[in-house]
Amino acid sequence: MFVINWFFDVLGYLGLYQKNAKLVFLGLDNAGKSTLLQMLKDDRMTQIEPTTHPQSEELVMGSIRFRTFDLGGHEIARKIWKDYLVSVDAVVFMIDAAERERFGLAKQELDELLSMEELSNIPFVILGNKIDLADAASEEELRSALGLDTYGYFGKGSKLSEGQRPIELFMCSVAKRDGYAEAFKWVSQFLK
């Protein structure tokens, strides 16, 4: 087994072997999901219209090929999220860290996702976006507002307990290209 794992590690390092993963990008409208996907795809910032229909992209980061789905975050779009969660490998939940008045609604949506049986072992990476804005919440404030401790949240670098869901919060600024690379590196360790 060691030789086989070593072989695939070498192939991955050389870019000749890729894992495949299905990610869904969820969160309230105006959190920055489409902007992040555009940045990951083209490495450029563009003005993007609000997502009205589910969007799909294929991205390659390191040795992983991601099939991504941006489902939109407006009220009607949130009703179809469940339809896209079949056989998903990870959830990227994005929140505007400067919109404190919507933290309660974001928590409600996140709670609903985290309580879904079919997602009980799926890693969740939460991105607190727009930290470049002066009125953005701190990581501690956002963690508290989302109630992450109630879900067995563990800190960066901590070991998972048996049966514990991987869930982590990363603060980021898509506009400044800061913080989200670490989030994808973190979630990639849980992808098979």
Side-chain angles (χ1 to χ4, degrees):
M1 191 58 138
F2 169 76
V3 173
I4 292 171
N5 288 337
W6 174 82
F7 178 71
F8 283 111
D9 287 345
V10 169
L11 287 177
Y13 177 76
L14 296 173
L16 301 174
Y17 172 76
Q18 291 183 326
K19 298 178 185 177
N20 289 301
K22 180 181 172 185
L23 301 181
V24 290
F25 284 66
L26 303 174
L28 302 181
D29 53 307
N30 201 37
K33 300 175 298 296
S34 299
T35 304
L36 175 58
L37 275 174
Q38 187 67 42
M39 186 71 77
L40 293 171
K41 180 181 173 196
D42 297 332
D43 194 30
R44 63 186 171 88
M45 189 83 167
T46 58
Q47 184 68 26
I48 297 175
E49 294 294 319
T51 304
T52 56
H53 302 289
Q55 306 289 319
S56 178
E57 294 287 345
E58 190 167 291
L59 305 169
V60 176
M61 288 184 266
S63 64
I64 301 176
R65 179 179 306 275
F66 292 104
R67 182 81 173 152
T68 64
F69 294 87
D70 174 5
L71 305 181
H74 55 287
E75 188 174 354
I76 294 170
R78 293 193 305 265
K79 292 179 182 183
I80 65 158
W81 284 0
K82 291 178 183 137
D83 298 339
Y84 285 82
L85 298 177
V86 176
S87 70
V88 67
D89 296 299
V91 173
V92 178
F93 189 87
M94 205 159 191
I95 183 169
D96 183 337
E99 281 194 325
R100 284 178 177 81
E101 66 277 1
R102 296 186 79 197
F103 286 0
L105 180 56
K107 180 185 182 326
Q108 180 182 334
E109 294 295 341
L110 182 61
D111 286 347
E112 189 172 322
L113 292 166
L114 289 170
S115 68
M116 293 176 65
E117 182 62 33
E118 58 265 42
L119 298 177
S120 63
N121 296 314
I122 301 299
F124 271 70
V125 62
I126 301 165
L127 296 175
N129 189 27
K130 303 183 184 181
I131 61 169
D132 53 305
L133 301 179
D135 57 343
S138 68
E139 182 174 344
E140 184 176 297
E141 181 184 353
L142 188 55
R143 183 181 297 118
S144 176
L146 295 176
L148 294 180
D149 292 331
T150 63
Y151 289 103
Y153 170 83
F154 66 101
K156 297 169 186 77
S158 298
K159 299 286 185 198
L160 278 173
S161 300
E162 184 66 31
Q164 187 178 23
R165 174 204 315 265
I167 182 170
E168 184 59 88
L169 170 66
F170 290 84
M171 302 303 281
C172 71
S173 169
V174 174
K176 300 288 185 186
R177 295 180 165 100
D178 183 40
Y180 55 83
E182 294 85 0
F184 287 103
K185 183 177 178 185
W186 177 85
V187 79
S188 70
Q189 69 185 314
F190 301 105
L191 303 176
K192 295 170 176 56

